[in-house]
Amino acid sequence: EVQLVESGGGLVQPGRSMKLSCAASGFTFSSFPMAWVRQAPTKGLEWVATISTSGGSTYYRDSVKGRFTISRDNAKSTLYLQMNSLRSEDTATYYCTRGPYNSGDFDYWGQGVMVTVSS
Amino acid sequence: DVVLTQTPVSLLISLGGQASISCRSSQSLVHSNGNTYLHWYLQKPGQSPQLLIYQVSNRFSGIPDRFSGSGSGTDFTLKISRVEPEDLGVYYCLQRTHNPNTFGAGTKLELK
């Protein structure tokens, strides 16, 4: 069974940093691109970043470029999102999701982790 | 960025009825490789989104045939027949043909 379990969220002050993790199991992690998608309270879904299988290619939405870094450790089957210079508008539930090449969708999602940026 | 416009914003449907949701794109979603990366999701209250339909019309594993997707180019539709209580929630379309990937704003399905 595919499982994605996020951790590392919480309350953080504006301008500070936070690192999210996503532990994957039930599939060959190194064979799948991965992504982060977020959802602000009562709002819709917003793609944040994607990483290739090797980690050699990364893609970001403009609003997080230069502040967020997506990475992965295939030996540990874990996906990360390093978030620096956090802003109030980054407040959201962050979902880890798997993005297979062949179908081009996000097929499995974690339960999400809440990040609140507030003083 | 590609804008996906979902209509209606909300739907009131009776149990056993049929629902139809439209997703219109600001540009063609046909990739240079010939595939169309338009997908549909359902987010039930308090849960993560779940994949229903991938690449316009393919049902994901375990999704009943009450759900069907159609369309091409810039105009796509999700149909839900014989609506059941477990179908309630917010439906989103997602395009992954172009970067950045973008979602529609969502359509809330409620019981009449």
Side-chain angles (χ1 to χ4, degrees), chain B residues 34-103:
Chain B
N35 292 331
T36 300
Y37 297 109
L38 186 282
H39 319 294
W40 290 96
Y41 294 82
L42 166 59
Q43 186 173 31
K44 298 179 183 180
Q47 295 188 20
S48 308
Q50 61 178 104
L51 177 63
L52 300 173
I53 302 284
Y54 65 93
Q55 287 189 39
V56 181
S57 59
N58 300 282
R59 274 187 300 277
F60 187 54
S61 174
I63 302 302
D65 60 7
R66 300 184 295 102
F67 292 88
S68 63
S70 63
S72 62
T74 61
D75 204 346
F76 305 91
T77 301
L78 174 70
K79 283 191 166 61
I80 312 153
S81 60
R82 306 183 304 280
V83 167
E84 298 184 5
E86 67 206 45
D87 301 337
L88 305 184
V90 181
Y91 289 80
Y92 294 95
C93 53
L94 160 69
Q95 70 79 21
R96 294 201 68 206
T97 297
H98 304 284
N99 282 319
N101 302 160
T102 50
F103 289 88

